[in-house]
Structures are given as structure tokens and as C-alpha cells.
Amino acid sequence: MPTTSPRPRPRSRSSVSARVAPQSLAQLTAPWQPPLAGTTSGGKNARPAKGRAMAGFDPAAQPFSSGDKQRDKASVEALAMELDELQNLFYADKRCKLLVILQGTDTSGKDGTLRGVFGRISPLGVHTASWKAPTEDERAHDYLWRIHQMAPGAGEMMLFNRSHYEDVLVPVVNRWITPAQASQRYQHINDFERMLSETGTVILKFMLHISFEEQGRRLQERIDDPTKHWKFSMGDLEARKQWKLYQRAYQNLLNATSTPWAPWTVVPADSKTHRNLMIATLARNRLQQLNLRYPPPVPGLKNLKVDRKLTTPPQDRKAP
């Protein structure tokens, strides 16, 4: 983080259409959020809420779209500028921390989201972490050890490209851990995120949801374009063979770890533009809800005037 306070930036003229009322936005988002873990449904004879099946989320849907792709792209750009302005205020305020988790299968658009939604923010104001297979040193500790080290500090925004949820995906699909161990990890993660939330961290969790067909198209693009070969791994094709198993693993983790302090939002992501629009809108509105403010003025600066005349510093003047 920078050692000097960032300067306030003039507010941009947003080209986004009229703001969506918080109540309307909540209604628009609700179908894309799994029931909160541990909640109950019904009245007198309340029962634990049933989870949502992945088949219930349409990856081709575009609930946040205006119906005009160019208008949506313009809105994403304007929202990205607003996020930049809000980050400046967020850093100056320093009462909160922000953790954005982007989780999804290969080619779901995690990198594209970082560029399209958060790419306008000053590099001094936002940090990213891309999680790969743990190193030998990391495996010597508990699986959340490396994650906690990258949690944001006061005034910081941390973006996770993949996350600790890989530890209830890959080991589950490959049967490296038992169902009982997976359930135990869900509880670990819920407790970990609750601790972060209770100590000032705002957590936004987005599952980028694409279809099997769209993933195939994007993988083929990487194979056909030599400039994208660096993005492709033969392991991507092996993981694709386990598509149904991964979808089931995602379904289980979403239903087990969507909590009041860190709810999941499933983002239909077959459309890259819509994916960015939905995430940018929700991130912008969550930051606005924090009622961010600049610190109070410093009393001693009220009548301080900067000398605008060029003079020789006292130490450089020669004695008579």
C-alpha cells in the first residue's frame, strides 16, 4: 500500500442508466443466491432450507442486461470508473477491508473479470492473488494458512483468482478426502470467513457459471490461437472430463458455505459482457452501502499556507 494519502479524484459522469434501488437490486439478485446455510424455511414446522441444484442456474441468462450489448459495455466502463473513485475513498476511510472471491471452472472468466471490472483501479489500491496447487511449505501447514496471509488489511481491496474453495473442489472430485472431511472443511471455511467478517472484512463471493458448451468453445479458441497457447493446459481437458463431478462439488460447496456474513452469488457467465456488468454493479452497490467517508480535517492545516516563491534553503546559504 502507498505511504502517502491518495488525492481525491473528481467524480466522473457515469453513463450508467438510473441507479437501481437497493430493494430492486436485491430482488434481481435473489434468484442467483443459494439459500443461506443453516437457515430454515416454513413456519411452525420449520425445516432446514433445501439447497439449490446447479441445473437451476442458467449460465446463458442475462438478468442485469439492458438488452443492448453496446450499452451494457458502456455501463461496465462507467461502473469501473466508479469503482476506482470508491476505492480512493475506501483507502482513505480505512474502517473496512474488502475481499472479492472469484471462483469458477477453467475459462469461466476470472482473469477477464479482473481486467474488465477492477482494471481501472490504481495498482496501489488493489491487490490480487492467484491460487495454484500448494507448495511443499504450504502443504506442511493447514490448508487455510496460506489464505489467511493474503487477507486484506485496513483500507485494502484483495481480489482472489480462485481461492480456498479449491480445497473443497479438487480433493473432493479426486476423492482425496472423504465426504466427512469435506463437511468438516465447509465448517472450517464458514468459521474462517465469519472471523474475517467480524473483524471488518466485507466478503463478496462470485461463482462464475458457464455452460459445458461455452467452455468447449473457449478452450478451442485457446488451442486455435497461438497467442493464447500460454493459457491452455492439457490438464484443462482432463478436468473437462470430470465436468459433472465438478458441478456436483460446486453445488455442495455453494449450499454449505453461503452464509449471512459471506453469501454466494452465482453469476451467469456465458456472456462476458453480462458477467462483468453483474459483478461491477454488485461490487459498486456494496461499497456504496458502507457509507464511506474521508477522515476529519486536520485542525493544524486550516490556516497553513505553502510558500510558492522559490528561495534558497537555509542550509545552502553561504555565511558572509
Side-chain angles (χ1 to χ4, degrees):
M1 296 298 294
T3 56
T4 58
S5 297
R7 295 175 295 176
R9 303 185 182 110
R11 293 192 62 81
S12 64
R13 296 182 180 273
S14 172
S15 63
V16 182
S17 56
R19 299 266 198 273
V20 178
Q23 184 177 6
S24 299
L25 186 62
Q27 293 173 344
L28 191 63
T29 309
W32 301 97
Q33 293 182 316
L36 298 179
T39 59
T40 58
S41 60
K44 185 177 179 181
N45 300 314
R47 298 178 179 179
K50 293 184 178 179
R52 289 279 301 277
M54 288 304 298
F57 298 106
D58 180 6
Q62 299 186 34
F64 280 61
S65 176
S66 67
D68 183 316
K69 186 173 182 178
Q70 292 307 312
R71 184 183 301 172
D72 288 350
K73 285 186 174 182
S75 294
V76 171
E77 179 66 16
L79 284 163
M81 296 298 293
E82 285 190 71
L83 287 171
D84 181 40
E85 295 164 9
L86 285 165
Q87 179 278 322
N88 187 59
L89 182 54
F90 186 88
Y91 176 76
D93 188 306
K94 280 189 169 58
R95 287 179 298 138
C96 299
K97 313 149 192 174
L98 179 68
L99 175 60
V100 177
I101 294 173
L102 301 177
Q103 193 68 48
T105 60
D106 295 325
T107 76
S108 60
K110 298 177 289 294
D111 290 342
T113 300
L114 292 176
R115 289 191 301 270
V117 176
F118 302 100
R120 289 287 188 175
I121 297 178
S122 166
L124 295 177
V126 64
H127 306 280
T128 62
S130 181
W131 299 100
K132 306 295 183 183
T135 64
E136 183 176 350
D137 184 44
E138 290 168 343
R139 285 196 298 270
H141 296 80
D142 67 88
Y143 66 95
L144 289 173
W145 176 76
R146 62 174 183 163
I147 306 297
H148 203 166
Q149 294 182 79
M150 299 303 292
E156 291 183 339
M157 293 184 176
M158 176 60 74
L159 313 177
F160 278 4
N161 182 339
R162 299 187 187 274
S163 67
H164 40 293
Y165 286 98
E166 290 296 305
D167 290 296
V168 284
L169 284 168
V170 179
V172 168
V173 168
N174 291 288
R175 298 183 179 181
W176 298 338
I177 60 176
T178 66
Q181 289 173 318
S183 295
Q184 185 181 56
R185 289 191 176 190
Y186 296 147
Q187 190 59 53
H188 290 163
I189 290 172
N190 287 344
D191 289 341
F192 171 65
E193 292 179 346
R194 185 179 66 224
M195 183 272 294
L196 292 181
S197 176
E198 290 176 350
T199 53
T201 301
V202 176
I203 304 173
L204 299 179
K205 301 191 300 194
F206 299 110
M207 189 273 175
L208 311 187
H209 184 37
I210 61 171
S211 63
F212 183 77
E213 294 75 19
E214 179 63 16
Q215 187 197 53
R217 188 185 68 79
R218 294 181 186 182
L219 284 173
Q220 193 62 53
E221 282 184 354
R222 294 181 179 184
I223 293 172
D224 295 342
D225 185 349
T227 66
K228 294 183 178 181
H229 284 181
W230 63 276
K231 292 184 177 183
F232 178 76
S233 168
M234 292 301 295
D236 297 340
L237 298 182
E238 292 303 312
R240 183 168 165 79
K241 295 177 182 178
Q242 300 171 304
W243 177 269
K244 291 184 178 180
L245 293 176
Y246 271 105
Q247 292 297 296
R248 187 179 307 154
Y250 266 111
Q251 176 177 306
N252 291 339
L253 79 82
L254 288 172
N255 290 322
T257 62
S258 194
T259 59
W261 52 89
W264 276 104
T265 299
V266 177
V267 178
D270 274 6
S271 165
K272 299 177 182 179
T273 299
H274 175 266
R275 174 200 71 208
N276 289 350
L277 178 62
M278 184 170 178
I279 293 174
T281 300
L282 294 176
R284 187 275 309 274
N285 280 58
R286 186 66 185 93
L287 287 172
Q288 288 179 334
Q289 291 171 357
L290 298 178
N291 296 316
L292 299 171
R293 59 180 183 264
Y294 287 108
V298 179
L301 298 182
K302 184 175 181 179
N303 298 314
L304 182 64
K305 301 296 181 183
V306 176
D307 184 0
R308 299 185 181 183
K309 295 182 179 180
L310 182 62
T311 59
T312 304
Q315 63 271 23
D316 292 342
R317 296 173 183 165
K318 293 182 180 179

